[in-house]
């Protein structure tokens, strides 16, 4: 097990975020389970982590709001004393073809997926610079690498997160802070449950391993990127997609 760290995970109330929270909690780390609406579910995860021997705290914040993101960081430091790992996992989709996409569909997705990640990184920067260490992991997406019809808003947000990751790795290297992204392929969560069977079959046909990924596939990759063993990895977009790309 690694030294006990404080890990702040945005959007940890379900899906990939829940798997991330449980993996770090079971590793013995202090975990902040951020949520926007699903308070009950976030509290259940906190209890499960405590049962597994870790420590955790649920904190409500909309990461797309600059001030709420700031408060989230401040509350984490107040409670646990530091932030060693930030995982920007919160994400939303508002899929539709360009012809039908409304301006607010674009703005909402960019505000949560891109601006939310930027807000969180902005606010952890000073504390991480001060402690001269840190790990930042952004959850982007395979479609940010290859594009996808019906997702111009989402793909733009995830491609931008990849670019931001590479730029920040160059800025933060001197401060002993690594910045990487994980680009998941099709992972079974509520986000993907919403798709029709027809679309799911079409995705599966593009996956050489011929199955969808599990949330644990992403959690295990994040555990590695946050570990001492990954100390020389920065500015990378790690694909976890069953061979899709
Ligand atoms: P999910 O099941 O829909 O969960 C999304 C999480 O984000 C929830 O915890 C939600 O909190 C939180 N969230 C949404 N808006 C937020 C906001 N403004 N502020 C704070 N939290 C917010 O999604 P998922 O499938 O686990 O996806 C997690 C991440 O992986 C996303 O960034 C997604 O784009 C990425 N990803 C997923 C897949 C996949 O196949 N599932 C593939 C590639 C990339 P509440 O429950 O409180 O609303």
């Amino acid at each position: 097990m690694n030294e006990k760290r404080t890990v702040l995970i945005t959007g940890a109330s379900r899906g990939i975020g829940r798997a991330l929270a449980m993996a770090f909690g079971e590793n013995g780390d202090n975990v902040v389970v951020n949520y926007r609406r699903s308070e009950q579910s976030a509290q259940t995860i906190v209890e499960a982590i405590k049962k597994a021997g870790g420590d955790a705290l649920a904190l409500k914040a909309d990461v797309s709001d600059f001030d709420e993101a700031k408060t989230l960081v401040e509350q984490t430091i107040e409670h646990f004393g530091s932030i060693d790992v930030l995982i920007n996992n919160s994400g939303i989709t508002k899929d539709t073809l360009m012809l039908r996409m409304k301006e607010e569909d674009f703005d909402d997705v960019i505000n949560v997926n891109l601006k939310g990640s930027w807000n969180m990184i902005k606010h952890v920067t000073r504390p991480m610079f001060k402690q001269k260490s840190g790990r930042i992991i952004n959850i982007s997406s395979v479609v940010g690498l290859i594009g996808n019809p019906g997702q111009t808003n989402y793909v733009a947000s995830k491609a931008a997160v990849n670019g931001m990751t590479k730029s920040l790795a160059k800025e933060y290297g001197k401060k002993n802070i690594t910045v990487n992204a994980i680009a998941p392929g099709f992972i079974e969560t509520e986000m993907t449950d919403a798709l029709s069977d027809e679309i799911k079959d079409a995705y599966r046909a593009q996956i050489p391993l011929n199955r969808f990924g599990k949330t644990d596939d992403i959690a295990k990759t994040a555990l590695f990127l946050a570990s001492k063993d990954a100390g020389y990895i920065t500015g990378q977009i790690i694909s976890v997609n069953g061979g899709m790309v």
Side-chain angles (χ1 to χ4, degrees), residues 68-173:
E68 286 192 32
K70 184 167 188 263
T71 305
L72 175 59
V73 169
E74 286 170 353
Q75 288 175 327
T76 299
I77 294 173
E78 207 174 287
H79 189 84
F80 285 123
S82 66
I83 295 179
D84 305 298
V85 182
L86 166 67
I87 306 183
N88 282 313
N89 169 75
S90 296
I92 60 166
T93 51
K94 290 204 169 178
D95 298 351
T96 190
L97 294 173
M98 188 64 178
L99 199 60
R100 277 184 233 122
M101 192 175 285
K102 298 195 191 81
E103 185 184 6
E104 71 199 57
D105 297 333
F106 182 81
D107 290 345
D108 289 352
V109 169
I110 294 291
N111 280 336
V112 175
N113 299 5
L114 174 60
K115 179 80 188 321
S117 301
W118 187 89
N119 283 343
M120 291 302 300
I121 295 169
K122 175 75 182 161
H123 296 307
V124 300
T125 294
R126 274 184 206 286
M128 281 189 178
F129 273 24
K130 224 169 138 192
Q131 73 198 17
K132 293 196 177 66
S133 68
R135 297 286 164 94
I136 297 171
I137 300 169
N138 297 318
I139 307 298
S140 68
S141 171
V142 63
V143 297
L145 301 170
I146 58 173
N148 205 21
Q151 289 197 308
T152 48
N153 49 1
Y154 183 79
V155 169
S157 75
K158 296 300 187 177
V161 163
N162 289 343
M164 185 167 74
T165 300
K166 291 180 190 179
S167 296
L168 283 168
K170 292 185 176 180
E171 276 188 42
Y172 289 14

Side-chain angles (χ1 to χ4, degrees), residues 8-242:
L8 167 51
I9 304 164
T10 69
S13 51
R14 48 198 164 87
I16 292 172
R18 172 171 38 207
L20 288 165
M22 288 310 303
F24 282 93
E26 284 165 0
N27 190 50
D29 293 312
N30 300 321
V31 179
V32 171
V33 178
N34 160 250
Y35 64 96
R36 181 186 46 168
R37 295 194 185 121
S38 313
E39 179 173 8
Q40 191 52 51
S41 167
Q43 292 297 354
T44 305
I45 294 165
V46 165
E47 292 314 313
I49 290 172
K50 287 185 175 170
K51 241 188 203 157
D55 198 359
L57 175 69
L59 289 175
K60 179 181 167 76
D62 177 346
V63 296
S64 68
D65 182 297
F66 189 78
D67 294 331
E68 286 192 32
K70 184 167 188 263
T71 305
L72 175 59
V73 169
E74 286 170 353
Q75 288 175 327
T76 299
I77 294 173
E78 207 174 287
H79 189 84
F80 285 123
S82 66
I83 295 179
D84 305 298
V85 182
L86 166 67
I87 306 183
N88 282 313
N89 169 75
S90 296
I92 60 166
T93 51
K94 290 204 169 178
D95 298 351
T96 190
L97 294 173
M98 188 64 178
L99 199 60
R100 277 184 233 122
M101 192 175 285
K102 298 195 191 81
E103 185 184 6
E104 71 199 57
D105 297 333
F106 182 81
D107 290 345
D108 289 352
V109 169
I110 294 291
N111 280 336
V112 175
N113 299 5
L114 174 60
K115 179 80 188 321
S117 301
W118 187 89
N119 283 343
M120 291 302 300
I121 295 169
K122 175 75 182 161
H123 296 307
V124 300
T125 294
R126 274 184 206 286
M128 281 189 178
F129 273 24
K130 224 169 138 192
Q131 73 198 17
K132 293 196 177 66
S133 68
R135 297 286 164 94
I136 297 171
I137 300 169
N138 297 318
I139 307 298
S140 68
S141 171
V142 63
V143 297
L145 301 170
I146 58 173
N148 205 21
Q151 289 197 308
T152 48
N153 49 1
Y154 183 79
V155 169
S157 75
K158 296 300 187 177
V161 163
N162 289 343
M164 185 167 74
T165 300
K166 291 180 190 179
S167 296
L168 283 168
K170 292 185 176 180
E171 276 188 42
Y172 289 14
K174 292 190 275 309
K175 299 287 184 183
N176 190 32
I177 297 164
T178 66
V179 190
N180 293 290
I182 298 173
F186 192 110
I187 308 297
E188 287 170 346
T189 67
E190 281 171 38
M191 184 181 269
T192 47
D193 279 352
L195 300 172
S196 70
D197 286 345
E198 199 186 345
I199 291 180
K200 285 186 195 168
D201 288 345
Y203 277 131
R204 200 181 286 105
Q206 296 171 44
I207 304 171
L209 288 179
N210 197 32
R211 63 175 175 83
F212 298 139
K214 305 273 182 212
T215 54
D216 259 2
D217 294 320
I218 307 305
K220 294 273 159 56
T221 308
L223 265 182
F224 171 65
L225 284 175
S227 74
K228 279 188 183 148
D229 292 340
Y232 201 55
I233 299 175
T234 194
Q236 303 307 305
I237 316 301
I238 311 290
S239 287
V240 182
N241 60 31

